[in-house]
Amino acid sequence: MIAVSQKEAPVTSAPVPEPAPGPAVPLPPAPVPCTFQVAPTEFNDVSFSASPLQVDVTTQTGCAWSAASNTTWVTISSGTDGIGSGHIQLSVTENTGAARSGTLVIAGKTVTVNQLSPQAPPPPPPPPPPVPCTFQVAPTEFNDVGFSGTSLQADVTTQTGCTWSSASNATWVTISSGSTGTGSGRVQLSVAENTGATRSGTLVIAGQTVTVNQQSRPACAYTINPGSYNPSSTGGSIAVAVTTTADCDWTVTGNPAWVSASPSSATGGGTTTITVQSNSGAARSATFKIAGRDFAVQQASAPCTYLSGPTSRTIPAYPTTTREIGITTQAHCPVAAAVSVPWLEIIYAPTFGSGEIGIRIYENTGEQRSGTVTVTGENFILVVTFIQVGKN
């Protein structure tokens, strides 16, 4: 048999027409994520006897949740699962042992149950809030307090157990007792004497301001008699009368060390004795105050005494030379020197007190000659004669 081959014609596909476009179909909205809230998440101080409990689940509609207990003594009596918001009822069995704690998982949240022990008493109720303290102080003002100083008292009224303190803002008002206290009490004040004008000061007692107004001291007038004293160099004493009102104080001030007063202070009229020590030097004076009045003391100087050497000197004719006349006396005593001839010259001399008088004696080119040096002081004259031999 002879086989005849036949060539197949190529097959061409007809184009498939595309479907005509239609209206757009909207996609479904994305689901809202579920959120869960569980309340409460902890039960504290659950009684040791069997107790029912309830837990609330809040979520969106259609959101599913479940609940399971991790503790054998806490069971779920209803609400092991749910959709949307709901409630879970728990049953807690009686506890016969120590305090215990267990957990559940509800809607993905942990819920804790803490149960008391029958051996332990329930916790005491919280203490009541403290009663606020209130303070009353009486009086809050003292008027016309005497200038001479006095004691005052202020009373504090408050509840038992309430503490308070007091402090003075015035240096002349001090707290003698009651700087602190608990409950009602009393504050004792001491007001110092006022020697000036009217004054006002404050204190703070138990948070309240207390004012003290003190009178001024009446003006005092003083006179003294006599107003001066003129003792000799040997000193002495004199009584000085002070006249003033009964409550006026006075003092003796400013007197020098060589003048004393007894008494040096007093109140009201009286007498002070002024004593002046002996004076071994020059005349001296001082003015000081007795009861604010000037009192003057003028004391005479001590008498001067003088000592010196010989009253005659013999001097060679040459060369020009120097001699001294020594004078001994008190420091306040005056000294002066003078020559009677030109060939004698005073080159130095003290004016007060002891010292040497220097005499320059010029060379003699002629016959013997003489001259004098006269030294004077207080009730004192000394004449010293200088005899100078001749050159030949």
Side-chain angles (χ1 to χ4, degrees):
M1 179 180 288
I2 301 170
V4 179
S5 63
Q6 186 177 3
K7 189 173 182 182
E8 296 181 359
V11 180
T12 59
S13 306
V16 179
E18 295 182 0
V25 179
L27 296 174
V32 177
C34 293
T35 58
F36 300 92
Q37 291 182 341
V38 177
T41 57
E42 188 169 16
F43 295 92
N44 290 312
D45 300 329
V46 176
S47 172
F48 65 87
S49 60
S51 302
L53 303 174
Q54 177 178 300
V55 178
D56 297 325
V57 178
T58 304
T59 186
Q60 296 88 346
T61 302
C63 290
W65 49 268
S66 63
S69 176
N70 299 322
T71 305
T72 58
W73 48 274
V74 180
T75 59
I76 300 172
S77 53
S78 68
T80 55
D81 53 38
I83 297 175
S85 299
H87 307 287
I88 297 104
Q89 298 294 331
L90 307 181
S91 178
V92 182
T93 62
E94 182 179 2
N95 183 12
T96 59
R100 57 188 178 180
S101 180
T103 62
L104 304 92
V105 177
I106 300 175
K109 309 292 185 182
T110 299
V111 176
T112 303
V113 177
N114 298 308
Q115 189 178 29
L116 297 171
S117 166
Q119 288 81 16
V131 177
C133 294
T134 58
F135 300 93
Q136 291 183 339
V137 178
T140 58
E141 188 167 19
F142 296 92
N143 291 313
D144 297 326
V145 176
F147 71 89
S148 59
T150 187
S151 296
L152 305 174
Q153 66 183 34
D155 293 322
V156 178
T157 304
T158 187
Q159 295 88 344
T160 301
C162 290
T163 60
W164 48 269
S165 62
S166 53
S168 175
N169 299 321
T171 57
W172 49 275
V173 182
T174 57
I175 299 171
S176 52
S177 68
S179 57
T180 59
T182 301
S184 298
R186 177 168 290 174
V187 181
Q188 296 288 344
L189 309 179
S190 178
V191 181
E193 180 183 5
N194 185 9
T195 59
T198 300
R199 58 186 178 181
S200 181
T202 62
L203 304 93
V204 177
I205 300 176
Q208 310 294 313
T209 299
V210 176
T211 304
V212 177
N213 299 309
Q214 189 177 27
Q215 298 171 348
S216 64
R217 183 182 186 90
C220 294
Y222 303 91
T223 60
I224 61 172
N225 185 44
S228 63
Y229 181 41
N230 301 315
S232 67
S233 63
T234 58
S237 297
I238 189 172
V240 179
V242 178
T243 303
T244 188
T245 52
D247 58 353
C248 288
D249 300 331
W250 54 269
T251 59
V252 179
T253 59
N255 49 302
W258 47 276
V259 178
S260 61
S262 180
S264 59
S265 63
T267 300
T271 301
T272 182
T273 299
I274 302 300
T275 301
V276 179
Q277 299 175 6
S278 64
N279 183 13
S280 61
R284 56 189 178 182
S285 64
T287 299
F288 52 95
K289 300 288 186 182
I290 301 176
R293 300 299 180 181
D294 286 343
F295 186 83
V297 173
Q298 296 276 353
Q299 187 176 25
S301 63
C304 293
T305 58
Y306 296 86
L307 297 175
S308 62
T311 58
S312 178
R313 308 272 185 96
T314 300
I315 309 299
Y318 58 87
T320 297
T321 187
T322 300
R323 294 290 186 273
E324 290 181 336
I325 300 173
I327 297 296
T328 301
T329 188
Q330 295 94 326
H332 67 280
C333 294
V335 176
V339 297
S340 62
V341 293
W343 50 274
L344 296 175
E345 179 185 3
I346 307 296
I347 55 177
Y348 54 84
T351 55
F352 287 92
S354 302
E356 301 290 338
I357 301 172
I359 310 298
R360 178 175 287 122
I361 304 167
Y362 289 95
E363 179 181 355
N364 184 7
T365 59
E367 300 295 326
Q368 176 175 305
R369 58 188 180 181
S370 66
T372 60
V373 175
T374 301
V375 181
T376 59
E378 182 181 287
N379 300 319
F380 171 75
I381 297 177
L382 169 67
V383 178
V384 180
T385 301
F386 288 86
I387 301 171
Q388 189 177 36
V389 300
K391 185 172 184 180
N392 298 322

